[in-house]
Amino acid sequence: MEHRRLGTQGLTVSALGLGCMGMTYAYGGQDDAESRATIERALDLGVTFLDTADIYGPHTNEELLGSVLRDRRDEVVLATKFGNAIGPDGRPAGKVDGRPEYLRGQIDGSLQRLGTDHVDLYYQHRVDPEVPVEETWGALGELVTAGKVRYLGISEAAPDTIRRAHATAPVSAVQTEYSLFTREVEDDGVLAVCRELGIGFVPYSPLGRGFLSGGIRSVDDLPEGDWRRNSPRFSGEALQANLEVLARVEQIAASRDVPTTVLALAWVLAQQDAQGMTAGLVPIPGTKRRSYLEENVRALDVTLTADELAAIDEAAPLGAATGDRYPSAMMGSLRR
């Protein structure tokens, strides 16, 4: 397994990570036995960069990972997140909380659920507009000093916020959605500030929340309880327009004789060099099935030529997707 660095503080991870959210949250159809087997298979394949968050469940995702990693903790780079507030009743509070006293409690809970004495990478999941980022990151720096956290990251933050956080405590990774269907970071300043400050970049949903698999042709292809049923990109005229873009990508994949998912993920991996991300770019495709994990890993062996990259860019250029990537109520928490 190839490894890539993230940032300039010393963090090194497998070139492909595993997003674990869907194992217990958001996408319906929970199967703990298959999820555990998928995590075990990932480690056997060398995919050792695992991503979770306290809000996934809430709590059940971290508990799942903790149960699997009980005897394999030393093999993994473990990332979790705080910030999407969880109320005293254990339910999502519907707001963001960046207060130092809140995050200190959250890290202790995460460590307990994960069955470990430290987290390798701890993200601020969303930015709290009511708390100066310097206050939040001052407390995060204290967690590093205390040994509870090794490296720090931030998710879905605006370029100026990333800059302010980094000036308070070093940012090793910025996590933001990035795929052939979500390329805004290329021109909204996020990749630019990562390049400037030597911060690694972690694309989540690098397969367009499963859309680039080609298996979603209507909202009826999504299971009950799947939040994508309420996503603007997966319904109505937007879905039909996006299927037209997908068809162009599928043609290129067919010409290369690889699944569309493999092509799309190989494209994301290639952006480390294409976008000049010298501090590293490591996607974390999410899956809860071993078969999809094994297909994703195939992308590491696919090197796209300059002509192929140009053809993909023409088929799915910046701004090609129709519809917001989240429902309107959730869009407001992005790029703060």
Side-chain angles (χ1 to χ4, degrees), residues 31-83:
D31 183 342
D32 286 350
E34 178 62 17
S35 293
R36 288 190 177 94
T38 300
I39 296 168
E40 295 276 7
R41 181 61 176 150
L43 302 188
D44 293 341
L45 291 171
V47 178
T48 55
F49 181 33
L50 306 183
D51 184 271
T52 183
D54 58 8
I55 195 68
Y56 300 160
H59 298 158
T60 55
N61 209 258
E62 290 181 326
E63 291 168 348
L64 176 70
L65 263 68
S67 70
V68 176
L69 299 178
R70 189 172 293 115
D71 299 319
R72 305 189 71 171
R73 174 65 180 94
D74 292 343
E75 299 178 42
V76 307
V77 174
L78 190 55
T80 192
K81 314 177 194 73
F82 78 95

Side-chain angles (χ1 to χ4, degrees), residues 69-327:
L69 299 178
R70 189 172 293 115
D71 299 319
R72 305 189 71 171
R73 174 65 180 94
D74 292 343
E75 299 178 42
V76 307
V77 174
L78 190 55
T80 192
K81 314 177 194 73
F82 78 95
N84 283 314
I86 302 167
D89 60 356
R91 297 176 180 272
K95 63 179 182 179
V96 176
D97 196 335
R99 294 173 301 143
E101 58 267 34
Y102 179 76
L103 73 90
R104 292 187 189 108
Q106 292 308 107
I107 185 60
D108 288 341
S110 289
L111 293 175
Q112 182 179 18
R113 289 184 290 272
L114 291 164
T116 185
D117 63 358
H118 73 281
V119 168
D120 298 296
L121 178 59
Y122 198 42
Y123 289 100
Q124 182 176 9
H125 205 166
R126 294 290 186 270
V127 176
D128 186 346
E130 303 300 323
V131 178
V133 72
E134 290 82 0
E135 290 186 17
T136 305
W137 277 72
L140 286 171
E142 292 172 0
L143 295 184
V144 175
T145 301
K148 294 182 179 182
V149 174
R150 293 182 64 217
Y151 301 97
L152 300 174
I154 195 167
S155 178
E156 291 287 3
D160 183 62
T161 302
I162 297 168
R163 190 182 303 279
R164 289 166 56 200
H166 188 68
T168 306
V171 180
S172 291
V174 168
Q175 184 177 134
T176 295
E177 187 173 351
Y178 185 45
S179 71
L180 281 174
F181 267 37
T182 304
R183 298 181 59 173
E184 290 85 352
V185 293
E186 293 177 13
D187 74 348
D188 68 3
V190 171
L191 290 188
V193 76
C194 288
R195 283 192 294 265
E196 176 190 344
L197 300 178
I199 298 171
F201 186 71
V202 178
Y204 74 85
S205 296
L207 297 175
R209 303 190 183 278
F211 188 75
L212 290 163
S213 72
I216 303 170
R217 300 290 169 172
S218 79
V219 71
D220 294 330
D221 293 325
L222 299 168
E224 292 296 329
D226 191 313
W227 81 270
R228 290 173 294 183
R229 284 177 169 265
N230 298 312
S231 172
R233 290 189 176 178
F234 286 84
S235 60
E237 294 181 0
L239 175 62
Q240 296 308 309
N242 291 331
L243 285 170
E244 293 177 8
V245 179
L246 176 62
R248 299 196 293 267
V249 178
E250 288 175 327
Q251 289 179 343
I252 299 171
S255 70
R256 183 63 191 259
D257 195 26
V258 297
T260 308
T261 52
V262 171
L263 182 85
L265 194 50
W267 178 87
V268 175
L269 287 161
Q271 298 313 299
Q272 175 169 275
D273 293 334
Q275 299 294 333
M277 302 303 294
T278 57
L281 183 152
V282 179
I284 51 168
T287 184
K288 52 189 172 185
R289 296 184 178 88
R290 284 168 287 179
S291 58
Y292 294 159
L293 166 73
E294 291 166 355
E295 183 172 275
N296 291 343
V297 170
R298 289 178 56 190
L300 293 164
D301 296 322
V302 174
T303 300
L304 299 171
T305 67
D307 287 345
E308 288 170 333
L309 288 169
I312 294 168
D313 282 342
E314 183 176 355
L318 177 68
T322 300
D324 287 338
R325 54 193 177 101
Y326 284 104

